[in-house]
Amino acid sequence: MFATVYQKCLRDQRRGLIGWSIGIVALVLLESALWPSISRISGLKEMLDSYPESLRKLFAIDEFTSGTGFLNTELYSMMLPILFLVFAISRGARAIAGEEESGTLEVLLITRVTPMRLLLEQSAVLLTGLTLLGTVLFAAVMGCSAVFGMQVGIGAAAAGSVAMIALAAPFGGLALAIGAATGRRRLALTGAGVAAVGAYVLFAASRIVEAVRPWGPWSPFHQALADGPMGGGVRLGHLSLIASVVVFLAAAVPVFTRRDISAV
């Protein structure tokens, strides 16, 4: 037995977190190992300038000739956001709805753990997991930068990690809230996944279509990726994305506390 749900869940997830951490390190290492060859390509800038302007804006290709710009394009524009989103949404959906579907949620709620406390501690577990992965990402980027001569600054690496955490947090919080409100893990996965895809489509369209551009800032992807995650620094938008988890939980609490868990 453990003193809190927070401690118990972190202990239960330790192997998964180790696996995710290894995957992130391997991905950063694989991409960084390409940099020495990429940086020696003659006429690279001219070749990149020939790409369509919309594509250069979407994937920040203009800065591809620097180590920081290379990682922004190769990792932080697509692959890392996907990894962090999958982690956050899957963990958020499993936090309450997964426990309920496995029949262990009722056992928790007949103890001294209140529904409010359960939601808060599960959200803390989610944010802690994201923070741990962000820290691993920071360490991997700094290590690979030193090994492969990418010259990535500490501030840029830290900003990139914060951006990934901030991007994934609201969608993980949404999955947790949907799971708490409905008790259905699949619905939580689907709802948060559709929201993430829709947000990315809005962001991508705002970078390409002039008429959609004013709506771009409403997408979490814009807040996290618009200026290049590693080049824009830590911004107020990052904090607002993380704080949105509280909004989702506040909306889920009334529904969760009124549901008859034992009848599920």
Side-chain angles (χ1 to χ4, degrees), residues 33-240:
L34 299 175
W35 171 246
S37 300
I38 296 294
S39 62
R40 289 195 293 266
I41 295 177
S42 60
L44 177 60
K45 188 177 187 307
E46 290 74 15
M47 181 182 69
L48 296 175
D49 288 341
S50 67
Y51 280 56
E53 182 180 359
S54 58
L55 188 63
R56 297 203 309 270
K57 287 183 178 180
L58 182 59
F59 295 105
I61 292 177
D62 291 335
E63 304 298 326
F64 195 79
T65 53
S66 68
T68 300
F70 172 77
L71 290 181
N72 262 335
T73 301
E74 291 295 313
L75 288 179
Y76 289 87
S77 64
M78 183 65 70
M79 287 188 285
L80 283 174
I82 289 175
L83 283 179
F84 274 76
L85 284 168
V86 169
F87 173 84
I89 292 174
S90 62
R91 293 304 169 96
R94 190 185 308 168
I96 300 295
E99 294 274 4
E100 187 168 347
E101 290 181 352
S102 65
T104 57
L105 182 61
E106 184 182 355
V107 177
L108 279 176
L109 293 178
I110 63 175
T111 64
R112 295 182 179 180
V113 178
T114 64
M116 172 70 80
R117 178 180 169 184
L118 181 60
L119 284 173
L120 290 176
E121 295 202 32
Q122 289 285 20
S123 63
V125 170
L126 173 64
L127 292 177
T128 299
L130 286 172
T131 301
L132 288 172
L133 294 185
T135 303
V136 169
L137 173 61
F138 170 80
V141 168
M142 293 306 301
C144 289
S145 174
V147 171
F148 298 107
M150 305 184 75
Q151 299 181 345
V152 177
I154 294 177
S161 291
V162 171
M164 295 301 100
I165 295 169
L167 173 63
F171 296 104
L174 177 60
L176 196 159
I178 294 175
T182 65
R184 298 177 181 271
R185 188 171 67 92
R186 184 171 297 178
L187 182 60
L189 288 170
T190 302
V194 169
V197 172
Y200 181 77
V201 170
L202 176 60
F203 167 69
S206 71
R207 307 285 282 184
I208 299 172
V209 182
E210 187 68 31
V212 185
R213 189 160 300 167
W215 299 95
W218 290 96
S219 170
F221 285 86
H222 179 90
Q223 302 296 331
L225 308 180
D227 299 321
M230 299 181 71
V234 179
R235 300 184 295 274
L236 185 61
H238 294 156
L239 299 179
S240 65

Side-chain angles (χ1 to χ4, degrees), residues 232-253:
V234 179
R235 300 184 295 274
L236 185 61
H238 294 156
L239 299 179
S240 65
L241 290 177
I242 296 174
S244 65
V245 176
V246 178
V247 177
F248 291 131
L249 292 180
V253 166

